[in-house]
Amino acid sequence: MGATIGIDLGTTNSCMAAMEGGRVTIIPNAEGERTTPSVVAFSKEGERLVGSIAQRQAVVNPDRTISSVKRHMGSKWKTRVDGKSFTPQEISAMILRKMRRDAEQYLGRDVTDAVITVPAYFDDSQRQATKDAGRIAGLNVLRIINEPTSAALAYGLDNGTPQKVMVYDLGGGTFDVSIIEIGDDVIEVLATSGDNHLGGDDFDERLVDHIVQEFKREQGEDLHRNAMAMQRVMEAAEQAKKELSAGFSTQINLPFISQNSQGPVHLDMTVTRAEFEQMTRDLVERTTAPVRMALDDAGIASSELGCVLLVGGSTRIPAVQEHVRRITGKEPSASVNPDECVATGAAIQGDTLSGATTGIVRSNSLLLLDVTPLSLSIETVGGVATRLVERNSTLPVHYSKTFSTAASFQTSVEIKVLQGERPMAKDNKAIGTFRLKGIKRAPAGVPQIEVTFDIDANGILTVSAKDLDTGKEQSITIDDSDRMSDDEVQQAINDAEEYAEEDEFRRATMEVRQRAEKLLSEVDSALSAAGKQLEKSEKKQVKADAAELRRVLMRRPSKKERADPEEEGRRIVVAAEKLDRSSARLRELVAQQQSS
């Protein structure tokens, strides 16, 4: 029987682990290292290099060396080498293939299955791309799980006391924060948030820019024009960042970095921790909003947290640790290795899913409950996004709601599925559309159409619609490739916060409009049924008020009204109230007729 391993496929470094003899073992690679650089290179002879060997030759071969490919997962990014294009999945598969091969050599048997971790805020296309990379590498991917969840699993194994924990995960390319409740044999994600474009690479980039600018100021040379020099600077910046986590200053010395008319030019400068913290302060501050959002969504205060776990190599930066203390009021836990805990948790989950219980207490009955990162809705009358699944709902999800037709005698309806946080459909991402046909002809509001959302543990969404009268049913499975990108996810939340007040006005105006249209419909029906019982002057007034309301509903909003949606709503309310008053007696007559 093949072995199952857990893999933390990181932006900068990757790590793997397995259950051996009832304990989690971090598997070293063929070079004896506990983590593997997520770097792939193509030598001029056509050989593919992965890991440390690829990283070491990057200086002399920068154009044929690929790093941080995780940031491109799920996108259309490609790199071309020797006339062949490679996708992020293919490059990632090369890293995974080496890790699989090294694991087989260490364990002494075939590795067939794996649990691979991803940032909690990865969208479905990125998750699918990661899963595809595993398949390309010859692995049966049992599950894609979130990195913070995996880290909490590793922590909860030795700290099983029921508690709520925050996992603050700042890796090489992404930032995640999750609020997780650890209970008896259950690890439940209460809320998650993050930034898929914030990580150690951004801190390195700030240091690189500083080095290049200082060198240009002192020597008049722009290193950006020299790819080999820039590769050396990037490596030096990464090393300097690590040294500044332990010391208060570091010396960057790169001899023969460039050449001018006077001969070789050397780079020699000192960078202090204070300078580094100044140039990266805004990056650290960017983690504040996701932390607060996750706490708010979980419905808890930071004082209710049992502990804060720091995950990812970038959390070793002193300024990051101090920031966590300041915004949470908690001393971050040092009980987990930030580089290895994610792979550890993946190995535990892999052991559970494979059924190969190893004698570890709690492993054979452990339940992970994750969440969906964005709300799901359908478009209803007036372009409103009617929400069926709230963001941070626990997976799997099964939710049904009954709707009806908006027009009389409809025989079909179009179901538009949306993802996002805005109240109006046009402001959200449309992820699928299908049509339910064969509805029994009936007046508006009579047919009963049940819409159901199902999301399984892997995040695959299926939407179905059923006419409860005829039994006719239609459904659609939303493929991963149709989901939102990480940028769209973050933009959806940012937009929801920025335009929350304006959106509320628009939604309120739409509700006012719908009530006005309903009133018009009732008045038209009443005039047909009992109009002759009204005095001529009353009937004339009702018709005039109805015509006025129609004009208000049909007129195009002015520039001022478009800028102030509340103004449009006020106009409709005034006209509707006028018609409501003048038609009150008419509607009473109709009600009396119907009761008799």
Side-chain angles (χ1 to χ4, degrees):
M1 181 178 176
T4 301
I5 61 174
I7 300 176
D8 172 14
L9 183 61
T11 305
T12 307
N13 293 290
S14 296
C15 185
M16 55 184 168
M19 300 295 297
E20 285 287 294
R23 299 180 64 85
V24 180
T25 299
I26 297 296
I27 302 174
N29 59 24
E31 294 76 39
E33 303 162 333
R34 292 171 71 88
T35 60
T36 299
S38 301
V39 182
V40 172
F42 298 84
S43 71
K44 292 182 170 66
E45 293 75 30
E47 184 183 2
R48 295 181 184 180
L49 310 173
V50 181
S52 298
I53 188 172
Q55 191 176 52
R56 286 196 297 269
Q57 59 83 67
V59 171
V60 295
N61 189 28
D63 296 335
R64 300 164 67 87
T65 303
I66 301 104
S67 59
S68 300
V69 73
K70 183 175 178 178
R71 282 195 158 185
H72 302 295
M73 293 296 277
S75 73
K76 295 180 179 178
W77 176 92
K78 289 184 179 181
T79 187
R80 195 169 183 84
V81 181
D82 296 332
K84 178 175 173 54
S85 292
F86 295 93
T87 64
Q89 294 95 312
E90 291 171 308
I91 298 297
S92 296
M94 295 175 195
I95 299 168
L96 291 172
R97 190 177 295 113
K98 171 185 169 51
M99 299 183 77
R100 177 193 177 192
R101 186 172 61 246
D102 291 351
E104 289 175 337
Q105 183 178 345
Y106 180 85
L107 297 171
R109 63 185 189 274
D110 291 342
V111 171
T112 55
D113 301 331
V115 169
I116 303 177
T117 64
V118 295
Y121 232 50
F122 252 26
D123 66 27
D124 291 307
S125 62
Q126 292 168 307
R127 293 168 189 267
Q128 186 61 50
T130 304
K131 195 171 184 178
D132 289 343
R135 288 201 295 266
I136 294 169
L139 290 166
N140 173 36
V141 182
L142 297 175
R143 185 69 56 84
I144 297 291
I145 66 171
N146 292 338
E147 290 164 3
T149 309
S150 188
L153 180 52
Y155 172 82
L157 187 67
D158 298 318
N159 300 272
T161 305
Q163 60 181 304
K164 295 181 178 69
V165 303
M166 173 188 288
V167 180
Y168 183 103
D169 183 357
L170 186 60
T174 59
F175 170 66
D176 284 316
V177 58
S178 292
I179 310 301
I180 299 175
E181 185 165 14
I182 298 175
D184 293 332
D185 297 327
V186 177
I187 291 184
E188 180 178 3
V189 181
L190 302 179
T192 190
S193 187
D195 187 334
N196 276 353
H197 291 285
L198 176 64
D201 286 356
D202 300 289
F203 288 78
D204 293 347
E205 187 177 327
R206 293 293 175 83
L207 202 44
V208 166
D209 289 343
H210 172 76
I211 294 168
V212 171
Q213 288 169 9
E214 285 298 301
F215 185 78
K216 185 176 181 179
R217 183 178 63 81
E218 293 177 3
Q219 303 290 342
E221 298 265 345
D222 187 357
L223 295 178
H224 284 115
R225 299 173 184 174
N226 187 330
M228 191 178 296
M230 285 302 297
Q231 183 62 40
R232 292 179 66 191
V233 170
M234 286 188 282
E235 290 184 359
E238 183 180 1
Q239 183 59 35
K241 178 186 69 176
K242 294 176 181 178
E243 291 173 0
L244 287 172
S245 294
F248 291 98
S249 67
T250 184
Q251 192 74 16
I252 301 173
N253 194 317
L254 297 174
F256 304 98
I257 191 72
S258 183
Q259 183 92 13
N260 60 23
S261 56
Q262 280 76 45
V265 182
H266 311 297
L267 188 155
D268 187 8
M269 68 176 66
T270 300
V271 178
T272 66
R273 182 188 290 181
E275 289 175 323
F276 179 63
E277 290 178 351
Q278 177 63 34
M279 67 182 80
T280 58
R281 180 171 286 120
D282 63 310
L283 298 178
V284 177
E285 287 292 338
R286 272 173 59 184
T287 68
T288 304
V291 167
R292 289 176 177 164
M293 181 181 294
L295 286 169
D296 288 345
D297 287 348
I300 68 170
S302 59
S303 59
E304 298 175 65
L305 293 170
C307 76
V308 178
L309 302 182
L310 297 183
V311 178
S314 298
T315 58
R316 289 191 171 92
I317 297 172
V320 171
Q321 296 175 4
E322 180 56 37
H323 185 68
V324 172
R325 291 188 193 97
R326 181 164 55 83
I327 62 176
T328 66
K330 299 285 181 181
E331 183 67 29
S333 172
S335 63
V336 295
N337 185 319
D339 293 324
E340 299 177 357
C341 62
V342 172
T344 298
I348 297 168
Q349 180 67 356
D351 180 66
T352 301
L353 293 173
S354 67
T357 55
T358 57
I360 224 172
V361 181
R362 307 174 64 210
S363 168
N364 59 345
S365 60
L366 185 66
L367 177 63
L368 287 182
L369 299 175
D370 227 321
V371 296
T372 181
L374 275 181
S375 301
L376 295 164
S377 315
I378 65 168
E379 182 175 352
T380 54
V381 177
V384 172
T386 299
R387 196 169 295 176
L388 273 76
V389 178
E390 295 285 347
R391 81 170 186 261
N392 286 319
S393 295
T394 301
L395 297 177
V397 174
H398 176 87
Y399 185 81
S400 297
K401 188 172 183 178
T402 301
F403 298 87
S404 190
T405 50
S408 295
F409 311 118
Q410 279 182 254
T411 58
S412 67
V413 292
E414 187 174 68
I415 309 293
K416 292 185 178 179
V417 185
L418 311 165
Q419 192 173 34
E421 307 307 318
R422 303 287 291 278
M424 305 304 293
K426 66 181 179 65
D427 298 319
N428 292 296
K429 171 72 173 180
I431 59 173
T433 303
F434 66 101
R435 183 169 291 277
L436 174 62
K437 300 178 181 179
I439 299 172
K440 187 175 180 179
R441 292 172 60 84
V446 173
Q448 299 292 292
I449 301 166
E450 183 181 63
V451 178
T452 301
F453 276 40
D454 277 299
I455 313 175
D456 65 17
N458 291 309
I460 304 298
L461 168 64
T462 299
V463 184
S464 61
K466 182 178 182 179
D467 181 356
L468 298 180
D469 185 39
T470 65
K472 295 281 182 133
E473 186 172 5
Q474 179 70 308
S475 66
I476 182 174
T477 297
I478 308 299
D479 296 325
D480 289 317
S481 59
D482 293 330
R483 298 295 186 88
M484 298 178 69
S485 69
D486 54 329
D487 287 337
E488 290 169 323
V489 168
Q490 191 59 54
Q491 190 61 50
I493 294 174
N494 292 344
D495 287 350
E497 294 172 348
E498 184 177 351
Y499 302 112
E501 187 176 357
E502 180 181 327
D503 281 340
E504 189 54 42
F505 284 149
R506 286 179 177 171
R507 182 168 188 155
T509 299
M510 190 57 63
E511 290 174 354
V512 166
R513 180 179 288 274
Q514 289 171 13
R515 289 197 297 270
E517 289 172 346
K518 183 180 180 181
L519 175 63
L520 275 174
S521 178
E522 290 174 354
V523 169
D524 288 342
S525 297
L527 283 170
S528 299
K532 293 180 181 179
Q533 298 181 42
L534 284 179
E535 293 289 337
K536 189 174 182 179
S537 59
E538 284 183 287
K539 187 174 183 179
K540 183 178 180 181
Q541 184 63 50
V542 170
K543 286 187 173 181
D545 290 343
E548 174 62 22
L549 179 56
R550 280 196 178 87
R551 280 195 293 272
V552 172
L553 290 171
M554 292 176 64
R555 69 186 291 274
R556 291 174 61 86
S558 65
K559 186 176 180 180
K560 178 184 177 182
E561 289 168 340
R562 287 195 295 272
D564 180 10
E566 194 176 16
E567 176 65 24
E568 180 187 359
R570 282 194 290 265
R571 287 177 178 271
I572 296 173
V573 168
V574 170
E577 287 177 345
K578 189 176 180 183
L579 176 59
D580 186 55
R581 289 192 297 269
S582 65
S583 65
R585 183 166 174 270
L586 171 65
R587 286 178 285 126
E588 279 180 24
L589 290 171
V590 172
Q592 290 169 4
Q593 286 180 355
Q594 291 174 344
S595 61
S596 62

